[in-house]
Amino acid sequence: MRELVFIGLGLNDEKAISIRGLEETQTADSVFMELYTSLLPGFSLERFEAMSGKKVRMVSRRNLEEENGRLILDATERGKAVFLVPGDPFMATTHVTLRIEAKKRDIKTRIVHGASIISAVIGLSGLHNYKFGKTVTVPFPENFSETPYNVVSENKSLGLHTLCLLDLKPDENRFLSVKAGLELLLAVEQKRKKGAVTPDTLAIGIARVGGESPSLKADYAKNLLTYDFGGPPQSLILPGELHFMEVEALIAFAGAPEKLRGVL
Amino acid sequence: MRELVFIGLGLNDEKAISIRGLEETQTADSVFMELYTSLLPGFSLERFEAMSGKKVRMVSRRNLEEENGRLILDATERGKAVFLVPGDPFMATTHVTLRIEAKKRDIKTRIVHGASIISAVIGLSGLHNYKFGKTVTVPFPENFSETPYNVVSENKSLGLHTLCLLDLKPDENRFLSVKAGLELLLAVEQKRKKGAVTPDTLAIGIARVGGESPSLKADYAKNLLTYDFGGPPQSLILPGELHFMEVEALIAFAGAPEKLRGVL
């Protein structure tokens, strides 16, 4: 039976993989990895190869998207292939395409899950998961779009929080910062004036979730613009209506202004 | 420095923990675990204790909620305490309360993330993460509520998918099934008649995500009512507008009716 196992690397570094994920890698006949859909800032390929006892073949965006993952699919002819990806597999839609392609070729696929930025950022923030609306990605300035602003605005009108992922291209060493993400939202506010993201809007910036020293700060947008979050990857949350327990969590862990208590 | 480390056990069994999570456990002075906020159907405490070399103290809902986690907080006086929880920590809001309590007592907290049902179910389904609206939990019949129906209806009006978590009480061996979840939604449809969940609505049932044999089936609600998903835990997705790649994924992996292709 030809077989391809998608394995989530989790967040930040090589020790975020699950025990099962490592075991599947140790018993694989071919091992592939991509590190272009997200950044694992503490990841060492050398340490991962030592842990797994396997030589890892790095896959580029071009390998995967232009060649339909032929490299990986062909490898299943020589036994079990594993494909290691940052976070939880299939949060990146490009890997769904590869999985469908495998199915067409009658290759069995399995998934070993990993920690995802989606749940980790929400958990770290102390906000309640069931109060988040649609997630959106804020693009680089050259791909400027009003969509992120509209998603925040729509979620807010329903009382919901918005997780704004910030675009990144690790293969080009480019990462959108909390500051740049907020600036895009504030620029659209200038035009649309819905009041969804003003300098006085509470926002939460998060950096390097899953790492030894994640950075987390809740403050008004104007103050976050000058806050030093350190290196990438970074994310942004625009909260909707806050439960009093969420306010307590933001004050305790994200240094939110204490006067937030009075607003409820 | 007094320290409490929250560690996500991930999904399904004891091998879903990360390498870092296992190492933090191996070097802990006290080890606590709860298995009441979610079910890990393949989990063996005996195997986990053998892997970690530690005796684990199980914490009940009562320990945690009525006694404010005193047991765990007090243990930090004797060195590093770790608290192992299913999935990714803080998806369960009760643990946010414990973290705030720790902060009040000047106990340092850290988080080691794990795979969460939230991202895993979305990934397994092949649907696109950024097309999900608000998540909702469908309660047991004795806590009947129209909220889940309203959330599905609201998300659909925005073209968005809804992840419906199904309530569970592992400590009482009670688990809501896909069938029971759909029945609640269909019952509200009878009264509200918004067309959000009818017998002819496409739905996706998922069981035992992260396990060796997860079950995944996309079909019209009337057909899913009699589909055998096997044991718990189970989840339900009510899709909104589908992208053609999402349709292909549902046909390939969830056995969705091929005629869905014609609907787009």
Side-chain angles (χ1 to χ4, degrees):
Chain A
M1 166 70 96
R2 297 172 61 188
E3 190 176 36
L4 171 58
V5 187
F6 291 85
I7 301 177
L9 286 167
L11 303 164
N12 196 67
D13 60 68
E14 69 280 353
K15 288 190 177 178
I17 194 172
S18 65
I19 305 291
R20 166 151 299 112
L22 185 60
E23 287 183 359
E24 290 277 7
T25 305
Q26 287 165 335
T27 57
D29 297 292
S30 334
V31 178
F32 298 90
M33 183 185 291
E34 66 86 358
L35 292 175
Y36 69 79
T37 58
S38 192
L39 175 74
L40 306 180
F43 189 88
S44 155
L45 184 59
E46 195 181 344
R47 288 195 300 263
F48 183 81
E49 289 186 332
M51 270 167 58
S52 63
K54 293 286 175 182
K55 185 78 192 152
V56 174
R57 184 154 176 185
M58 275 294 165
V59 174
S60 67
R61 187 185 298 271
R62 191 167 164 278
N63 284 152
L64 208 62
E65 294 180 7
E66 293 177 23
E67 300 168 18
N68 292 322
R70 193 175 39 75
L71 199 69
I72 299 174
L73 298 172
D74 287 352
T76 62
E77 283 168 23
R78 301 184 299 276
K80 180 171 81 169
V82 307
F83 183 32
L84 297 144
V85 306
D88 197 24
F90 308 122
M91 289 296 97
T93 52
T94 175
H95 301 325
V96 179
T97 313
L98 179 63
R99 191 169 166 227
I100 291 176
E101 198 62 33
K103 171 85 178 187
K104 282 186 192 157
R105 292 217 206 172
D106 214 23
I107 298 164
K108 188 187 169 193
T109 58
R110 289 188 290 122
I111 308 173
V112 178
H113 294 283
S116 167
I117 185 87
I118 303 291
S119 62
V121 161
I122 294 174
L124 188 65
S125 74
L127 299 182
H128 295 171
N129 172 57
Y130 63 87
K131 288 183 62 191
F132 277 77
K134 185 176 170 173
T135 297
V136 72
T137 297
V138 181
F140 285 110
E142 68 267 27
N143 301 319
F144 180 88
S145 155
E146 295 195 2
T147 299
Y149 179 87
N150 293 334
V151 171
V152 171
S153 176
E154 200 167 84
N155 282 338
K156 278 204 173 182
S157 72
L158 301 167
L160 301 175
H161 312 324
T162 309
L163 170 56
C164 297
L165 300 173
L166 300 171
D167 211 357
L168 37 71
K169 291 185 176 167
D171 41 355
E172 297 174 18
N173 201 29
R174 293 189 64 202
F175 306 95
L176 206 69
S177 64
V178 168
K179 177 172 188 284
L182 277 173
E183 281 171 346
L184 181 143
L185 295 170
L186 290 165
V188 183
E189 177 70 41
Q190 289 280 321
K191 285 199 280 182
R192 299 293 162 217
K193 300 198 185 298
K194 293 183 188 173
V197 189
T198 75
D200 294 312
T201 297
L202 185 76
I204 304 152
I206 298 142
R208 299 174 310 288
V209 62
E212 297 277 310
S213 57
S215 191
L216 175 66
K217 179 67 181 172
D219 207 338
Y220 304 109
K222 61 188 175 197
N223 298 334
L224 285 190
L225 288 174
T226 55
Y227 187 84
D228 181 9
F229 285 96
Q234 304 188 358
S235 311
L236 182 62
I237 294 174
L238 273 298
E241 287 162 24
L242 290 167
H243 183 271
F244 80 95
M245 282 300 296
E246 294 182 308
V247 169
E248 290 306 317
L250 289 180
I251 292 171
F253 302 108
E258 301 232 353
K259 66 176 165 182
L260 270 186
R261 280 198 190 103
V263 177
L264 294 180
Chain B
M1 166 71 96
R2 296 171 61 188
E3 190 177 37
L4 172 58
V5 187
F6 291 86
I7 301 177
L9 286 167
L11 302 164
N12 195 68
D13 60 68
E14 68 281 352
K15 289 190 176 178
I17 194 172
S18 65
I19 306 290
R20 166 151 297 112
L22 185 61
E23 287 183 358
E24 290 277 8
T25 306
Q26 287 165 336
T27 57
D29 298 292
S30 333
V31 178
F32 298 90
M33 182 184 292
E34 66 85 358
L35 293 175
Y36 69 79
T37 56
S38 192
L39 176 73
L40 306 180
F43 189 89
S44 155
L45 183 59
E46 197 180 342
R47 289 195 300 264
F48 183 82
E49 289 186 331
M51 271 167 58
S52 63
K54 293 286 176 182
K55 184 78 193 153
V56 174
R57 184 152 176 186
M58 275 294 164
V59 174
S60 67
R61 186 185 300 270
R62 192 167 163 279
N63 283 153
L64 207 62
E65 295 181 6
E66 294 178 23
E67 299 168 18
N68 292 322
R70 193 174 40 75
L71 200 68
I72 298 173
L73 298 172
D74 286 353
T76 62
E77 282 166 23
R78 300 183 299 276
K80 180 172 81 171
V82 307
F83 183 31
L84 297 143
V85 307
D88 197 25
F90 309 120
M91 289 297 96
T93 52
T94 175
H95 301 326
V96 179
T97 313
L98 179 62
R99 192 170 167 227
I100 291 175
E101 198 63 32
K103 172 84 177 187
K104 281 186 192 157
R105 291 216 206 173
D106 215 23
I107 298 164
K108 187 187 170 193
T109 58
R110 289 188 290 120
I111 308 173
V112 179
H113 294 283
S116 167
I117 185 88
I118 305 291
S119 61
V121 162
I122 293 174
L124 189 65
S125 74
L127 300 183
H128 295 170
N129 172 56
Y130 63 86
K131 289 183 61 191
F132 277 76
K134 185 176 169 173
T135 296
V136 72
T137 297
V138 182
F140 284 111
E142 68 267 26
N143 301 319
F144 180 89
S145 154
E146 295 195 2
T147 299
Y149 179 88
N150 292 334
V151 170
V152 171
S153 176
E154 200 167 84
N155 282 338
K156 278 204 173 182
S157 72
L158 301 166
L160 301 175
H161 312 323
T162 309
L163 170 56
C164 297
L165 299 173
L166 300 171
D167 211 357
L168 37 71
K169 290 185 176 167
D171 40 356
E172 297 174 17
N173 202 27
R174 293 188 65 203
F175 305 95
L176 207 68
S177 63
V178 168
K179 178 172 188 283
L182 278 173
E183 281 171 346
L184 181 143
L185 295 169
L186 290 165
V188 183
E189 176 70 41
Q190 289 280 320
K191 283 200 281 182
R192 299 292 164 219
K193 300 199 186 295
K194 293 184 190 173
V197 189
T198 75
D200 294 312
T201 296
L202 185 76
I204 303 152
I206 299 141
R208 298 174 312 287
V209 61
E212 298 277 309
S213 56
S215 190
L216 175 66
K217 179 67 181 172
D219 206 338
Y220 303 108
K222 60 188 174 197
N223 299 333
L224 284 190
L225 289 173
T226 56
Y227 187 84
D228 181 9
F229 285 95
Q234 303 188 0
S235 310
L236 182 61
I237 293 173
L238 273 298
E241 287 162 25
L242 290 166
H243 184 271
F244 80 94
M245 281 300 296
E246 294 182 308
V247 169
E248 290 305 318
L250 289 180
I251 292 172
F253 301 108
E258 301 233 352
K259 65 176 167 182
L260 271 186
R261 280 197 190 104
V263 176
L264 293 181

